[in-house]
Amino acid sequence: MSTGRFVSSASIGSTSTSSSTQISANVPISNTANKWKRENDCDEFVGARRSKHTVVAYKEAIYVFGGDNGKYMLNDLIRFGVKDKSWGRAFATGTPPAPRYHHSAVVHGTSMFVFGGYTGDIHSNSNLTNKNDLFEYNFQNGQWTEWKFIGRTPVARSAHGAAVYDGKLWIYAGYDGNARLNDMWTIRLTGETHQWEEVEQKGDRPPTCCNFPVAVARGCMYVFSGQSGLQITNTLFQFNFKDKTWRRISTEHILRGAPPPPARRYGHTMVHHDRFLYVFGGAADSTLPNDLHCYDLDSQIWSTVTPAPESQIPSGRLFHAAAVIGDAMYIFGGTIDNNVRSGDTYRFQFSSYPKCTLHDDFGKFLQNRQFCDVQFTVGTEETKISAHVAMIVARSQFLRSKILAARDARNVHFEKLFGTTDVRLAEQPILEVQLPDAQPEAFEIVLNYIYTDRIVFKDPFSHKLVLIMMDVYQLAVQFNIPRLEQLCVQYLEFKISKSNVLDALYNADRMGLTLIKDYCLGFIVKEDHFYNIVMSAEFAALEKPQIVEIIRKRLNPSKHTTDMKYDKTIGTTLESDMAVFLKSGGKEFCDINLVLEEKIIPAHKSILAARCTYFQAMFRSFMPADNTVNIQIGDISPSLEAFDSLLRYIYYGDTKMPPEDSLYLFQAPCFYGFANNRLQAFCKHNLENNITYDNVLQILEASDKMNVLDIKNYALKMVVHNFSQVAKLPKMQDLSRELLLDVIMAIADMKVENKQRIHDTFISQYNDI
């Protein structure tokens, strides 16, 4: 429940505008992304094993306060320095808080603030009580001070959440000894007057709960799961500090086809770093999982973090504590199997790569409607909706056949009109495709899914959403987009309720959607639904055949299940479709030629323009008349292999490439105008971790061509130190005369350095005689 000082990671390199690009050549780096590492244990005499404690971060150390060791409560303050990796007792003066656990601790300025918790003698089961006191510990002088208040105070509590925002301490929920709470209080941490204020909360607030973590990010406090009795869920809640409004984040993963949130749990930790919330541990339905989950605040998607190779992964635990220093998370202690208190410390190295903008780039491109080359005429009112051929044909075989048919019809028209089908692109009218049976609003949702893999509603609070999603489902079936079908099924199963199920049944019957109709019938006849539904005015207004079906279903419910069956593995993603499209499926739809080393590489204008402002500006302002673009990255022509890696990144966000390609592409994000420097970050990481004697000659050659001097010098040193192996590589014979001379000079320099070192050692020893 503790929150430390959350520090964003440092920026990942930059490109130089000069002819020589500077890249750190410290190879390999010591901290591998997503790697767990066990740190030095805390000695028992310092104060190790415990759970239900707090951990906060201040400068280059974590501070652990309180908890229990299985026998009695603690009020010691111990410190772990992350640089020297040593444990010790923190210097303290004054009167500390009474021993306690399930308290909270936060950092503001140069002080730690400890609030509430459960105190007493657990060994003799006496004087046990919750507290609502507030203590300040000043890190600079080690002084403990208890705050005194005027006016009302929060009810005493433990297992609550605490956060710092806008110079205030915010206390939320917890357990008062009799019941779980969901009230909120705040107090300013500066000034002479100390007065609590109860917060009037708005919106969809969480149920009463305890033993949950909170994290602060982007002006909001996040609460995930916790103990809420029968109401315990794995829902993530967001509280906006400025408007004091709660929001439940529950269905976004369905609309994005993403994995569900972590299983419901309590006694876990949650921290914020970069654009992610990280959840670890806790008790999840009688298990102690040790997987790490992260929630992307930008995409609103949960995922499970795959640990790096050779990770020392902590065992499952609950009532541990965590804090963030720099680009790493530290967890300490907790209760592990058989109710044993732990005293171990683990470090998790975050991955701070910029987010993949593939979905966002394509989504914005659709919204802007630039360079559209197909127009759909939708519905009986013939609504005109523009799009891009390349995106459509990459994702739907049905629409691909429609577009090909429209293109064939246009060619027949050209043949009659001009006597040829070879008409300049600029003079060709936009393709028109008729979709008379589609609903425009549903088609727009499908179109947005095609570009982004997400379902987005214009009005997310409309009472017609269930009916709209049934139209979307019908189009997904017709257009042969299986994954969208699955999303619609999941969403409808989530959203159909007693208030809208009869409308859903009527429309499913009318549209011939058997799967959804059967689900609605099963939902209606469930024991706790049936009476309220059949007594409603909507039921009385149903047509006779539907009433008969409901009665028969009620009398014989076992024939059908109430769950709609769907397979989450069915269907393809945006990335997989675009990968196939680039490799083999999009050749006949290419409309631009890219030329590199006299080789013509066909491509698609809309995809290039969606991902690169360089191409977007070119196609808008000065498109070459011959539809041909010569490829450069700054002043450098990349290798064919490197440009193939670049196209994979543009089309489907792929970052896997050999290290030598990374060197060529390091400047590509700036030159081509990508949305962020994600590719650059991967290139840098690739270079720092993957130069070996097997590929060092390719790196040497590329760094020489790119004039990246520090990487070239590093490669030369590696060649020299591994010369017996490198000299046998076939690539050695392909090096230019100039590079061979560089290798010879590097060998000579090494021999001179070695002779000088031997001479200096001899002189030093002679002088000591």
Side-chain angles (χ1 to χ4, degrees):
M1 294 180 290
S2 62
T3 45
R5 182 184 60 141
F6 301 116
V7 185
S8 298
S9 61
S11 58
I12 309 177
S14 60
T15 49
S16 170
T17 55
S18 66
S19 60
S20 176
T21 304
Q22 296 300 310
I23 307 175
S24 171
N26 298 322
V27 185
I29 59 175
S30 57
N31 294 322
T32 303
N34 292 342
K35 186 173 183 178
W36 284 103
K37 182 179 182 298
R38 182 166 181 168
E39 300 287 2
N40 295 338
D41 289 341
C42 180
D43 292 326
E44 289 295 332
F45 74 86
V46 174
R49 302 176 183 275
R50 67 188 68 204
S51 70
K52 307 170 190 172
H53 53 287
T54 54
V55 168
V56 300
Y58 180 71
K59 293 188 175 179
E60 298 298 323
I62 61 170
Y63 291 78
V64 179
F65 176 75
D68 83 83
N69 61 10
K71 297 179 180 179
Y72 48 85
M73 296 185 188
L74 306 168
N75 69 339
D76 57 342
L77 181 64
I78 58 177
R79 177 188 182 277
F80 176 72
V82 299
K83 286 189 174 180
D84 58 15
K85 302 184 185 303
S86 64
W87 281 98
R89 290 184 176 271
F91 173 73
T93 61
T95 304
R100 63 190 63 203
Y101 63 64
H102 280 328
H103 51 287
S104 62
V106 297
V107 170
H108 176 68
T110 59
S111 294
M112 172 178 69
F113 294 86
V114 174
F115 174 80
Y118 193 57
T119 186
D121 186 347
I122 56 175
H123 182 69
S124 62
N125 197 30
S126 62
N127 301 319
L128 298 173
T129 183
N130 284 310
K131 303 289 286 184
N132 63 352
D133 48 6
L134 179 63
F135 283 80
E136 177 181 2
Y137 173 80
N138 188 287
F139 291 108
Q140 295 180 327
N141 58 26
Q143 178 72 39
W144 280 107
T145 306
E146 182 177 4
W147 280 33
K148 303 299 180 184
F149 313 113
I150 60 173
R152 297 172 60 214
T153 58
V155 64
R157 68 191 66 203
S158 58
H160 52 282
V164 170
Y165 179 78
D166 191 29
K168 297 179 180 179
L169 169 65
W170 303 70
I171 299 297
Y172 175 69
Y175 184 67
D176 68 0
N178 296 304
R180 286 178 288 268
L181 311 168
N182 68 348
D183 59 340
M184 184 180 293
W185 294 76
T186 186
I187 186 172
R188 185 161 292 282
L189 297 177
T190 56
E192 299 298 324
T193 303
H194 301 151
Q195 185 170 6
W196 285 99
E197 175 188 354
E198 186 169 7
V199 178
E200 183 180 346
Q201 305 168 71
K202 298 177 288 186
D204 190 1
R205 64 202 286 189
T208 56
C209 58
C210 62
N211 287 320
F212 59 92
V214 302
V216 176
R218 303 180 179 183
C220 295
M221 177 175 72
Y222 291 86
V223 170
F224 176 73
S225 204
Q227 285 181 298
S228 304
L230 296 177
Q231 300 182 74
I232 182 171
T233 69
N234 61 346
T235 300
L236 181 66
F237 288 89
Q238 177 196 70
F239 177 76
N240 187 292
F241 285 108
K242 289 187 177 179
D243 60 23
K244 299 178 175 60
T245 300
W246 285 100
R247 182 171 77 93
R248 178 195 296 262
I249 303 173
S250 57
T251 61
E252 282 79 357
H253 71 282
I254 294 176
L255 299 181
R256 287 160 175 77
R264 62 183 187 175
R265 63 192 63 206
Y266 68 89
H268 49 297
T269 54
M270 179 168 66
V271 300
H272 165 240
H273 179 262
D274 195 29
R275 67 179 190 276
F276 297 106
L277 303 177
Y278 290 87
V279 170
F280 178 77
D285 292 332
S286 302
T287 66
L288 294 178
N290 69 338
D291 46 358
L292 180 65
H293 301 266
C294 71
Y295 178 76
D296 189 324
L297 294 166
D298 290 335
S299 64
Q300 300 184 34
I301 287 176
W302 283 100
S303 60
T304 302
V305 178
T306 302
E310 301 178 3
S311 283
Q312 298 168 302
I313 303 173
S315 60
R317 61 195 62 212
L318 76 160
F319 301 140
H320 52 291
V324 174
I325 297 179
D327 56 358
M329 172 178 68
Y330 294 83
I331 68 167
F332 175 73
T335 301
I336 55 179
D337 283 339
N338 299 319
N339 210 30
V340 174
R341 270 54 172 179
S342 167
D344 49 18
T345 308
Y346 287 86
R347 180 186 192 274
F348 179 78
Q349 177 67 41
F350 291 120
S351 168
S352 296
Y353 296 121
K355 72 172 184 176
C356 177
T357 62
L358 183 76
H359 301 246
D360 293 340
D361 290 344
F362 287 146
K364 290 175 184 176
F365 195 62
L366 173 64
Q367 291 174 6
N368 294 336
R369 308 285 177 171
Q370 284 188 330
F371 314 116
C372 289
D373 49 6
V374 62
Q375 187 175 79
F376 294 96
T377 303
V378 183
T380 55
E381 296 183 6
E382 299 188 344
T383 303
K384 306 294 184 183
I385 300 176
S386 300
H388 306 90
V389 167
M391 294 299 304
I392 302 299
V393 299
R395 306 224 57 202
S396 168
Q397 289 298 320
F398 175 87
L399 293 176
R400 182 190 187 105
S401 63
K402 285 277 189 180
I403 286 173
L404 285 173
R407 196 167 72 173
D408 290 343
R410 187 177 65 180
N411 286 339
V412 170
H413 176 70
F414 287 160
E415 188 72 42
K416 289 180 180 179
L417 197 63
F418 305 112
T420 179
T421 60
D422 188 15
V423 179
R424 290 179 57 196
L425 284 173
E427 297 174 358
Q428 294 180 8
I430 193 169
L431 274 180
E432 293 190 13
V433 176
Q434 304 289 327
L435 297 173
D437 298 329
Q439 297 295 324
E441 187 173 4
F443 181 73
E444 285 277 15
I445 292 173
V446 173
L447 199 60
N448 191 79
Y449 174 83
I450 284 174
Y451 281 70
T452 67
D453 261 3
R454 301 168 185 166
I455 297 173
V456 177
F457 300 120
K458 289 183 179 178
D459 180 7
F461 303 104
S462 171
H463 65 282
K464 296 181 179 179
L465 285 187
V466 168
L467 304 183
I468 292 171
M469 282 297 286
M470 292 169 72
D471 288 328
V472 173
Y473 174 79
Q474 191 174 41
L475 288 180
V477 173
Q478 181 184 358
F479 294 169
N480 190 25
I481 311 177
R483 191 162 172 267
L484 179 56
E485 292 179 43
Q486 305 301 309
L487 292 183
C488 293
V489 167
Q490 291 179 67
Y491 182 82
L492 289 169
E493 192 172 42
F494 186 81
K495 279 294 186 181
I496 287 176
S497 63
K498 287 186 281 188
S499 64
N500 62 28
V501 67
L502 293 177
D503 277 343
L505 174 67
Y506 172 80
N507 282 278
D509 187 43
R510 177 179 58 84
M511 299 165 67
L513 306 180
T514 305
L515 179 69
I516 298 172
K517 177 183 175 181
D518 286 348
Y519 175 79
C520 291
L521 287 170
F523 183 92
I524 291 168
V525 301
K526 288 181 70 173
E527 193 63 41
D528 52 346
H529 298 164
F530 185 72
Y531 179 81
N532 290 334
I533 293 173
V534 299
M535 295 302 292
S536 67
E538 290 80 7
F539 181 81
L542 279 180
E543 296 178 357
K544 182 179 177 181
Q546 291 168 344
I547 293 177
V548 170
E549 282 192 277
I550 292 172
I551 294 172
R552 287 176 175 170
K553 179 72 173 179
R554 175 67 173 176
L555 294 174
N556 190 17
S558 60
K559 284 189 176 181
H560 301 285
T561 177
T562 56
D563 293 326
M564 287 188 270
K565 298 299 181 184
Y566 51 85
D567 184 351
K568 296 177 182 178
T569 64
I570 290 177
T572 54
T573 63
L574 175 64
E575 289 83 355
S576 62
D577 283 341
M578 297 308 293
V580 171
F581 188 65
L582 173 64
K583 293 170 186 174
S584 59
K587 302 300 182 186
E588 60 184 314
F589 300 97
C590 292
D591 52 5
I592 187 75
N593 289 323
L594 308 176
V595 180
L596 178 63
E597 296 181 6
E598 299 183 354
K599 180 177 179 180
I600 296 176
I601 305 167
H604 306 86
K605 287 182 187 175
S606 55
I607 295 172
L608 297 176
R611 296 278 279 152
C612 312
T613 57
Y614 172 87
F615 286 112
Q616 189 178 118
M618 175 185 291
F619 300 154
R620 185 171 56 239
S621 305
F622 48 91
M623 181 62 209
D626 58 358
N627 230 34
T628 300
V629 177
N630 291 310
I631 293 301
Q632 295 281 115
I633 300 178
D635 298 329
I636 303 298
S637 294
S639 67
L640 286 168
E641 295 79 9
F643 187 68
D644 184 60
S645 293
L646 179 62
L647 281 181
R648 294 198 305 274
Y649 180 81
I650 291 172
Y651 274 69
Y652 56 99
D654 183 47
T655 55
K656 298 182 181 69
M657 66 186 75
E660 55 269 26
D661 288 4
S662 297
L663 196 54
Y664 283 109
L665 300 185
F666 191 78
Q667 293 190 76
C670 296
F671 183 78
Y672 283 112
F674 294 154
N676 61 22
N677 66 342
R678 177 179 173 84
L679 178 62
Q680 187 181 65
F682 273 97
C683 288
K684 181 174 184 291
H685 180 268
N686 201 12
L687 287 167
E688 289 179 328
N689 287 273
N690 295 303
I691 300 181
T692 66
Y693 78 85
D694 288 318
N695 61 33
V696 69
L697 294 179
Q698 288 89 334
I699 299 295
L700 176 63
E701 199 170 55
S703 60
D704 180 65
K705 184 176 181 181
M706 297 287 290
N707 198 24
V708 184
L709 300 181
D710 49 356
I711 293 292
K712 179 180 177 181
N713 290 334
Y714 181 87
L716 283 170
K717 289 180 180 178
M718 182 173 281
V719 169
V720 170
H721 287 289
N722 299 275
F723 191 74
S724 61
Q725 295 167 299
V726 174
K728 298 175 184 177
L729 297 174
K731 183 68 177 175
M732 194 73 179
Q733 299 179 17
D734 297 332
L735 288 185
S736 67
R737 179 176 180 273
E738 290 76 13
L739 280 179
L740 287 172
L741 289 173
D742 286 337
V743 171
I744 293 171
M745 290 299 296
I747 294 172
D749 289 342
M750 184 193 70
K751 289 184 176 180
V752 170
E753 289 175 8
N754 288 342
K755 286 182 179 180
Q756 185 65 45
R757 192 178 300 112
I758 293 170
H759 176 267
D760 292 344
T761 302
F762 175 78
I763 294 298
S764 175
Q765 292 174 346
Y766 177 79
N767 289 335
D768 291 337
I769 296 174

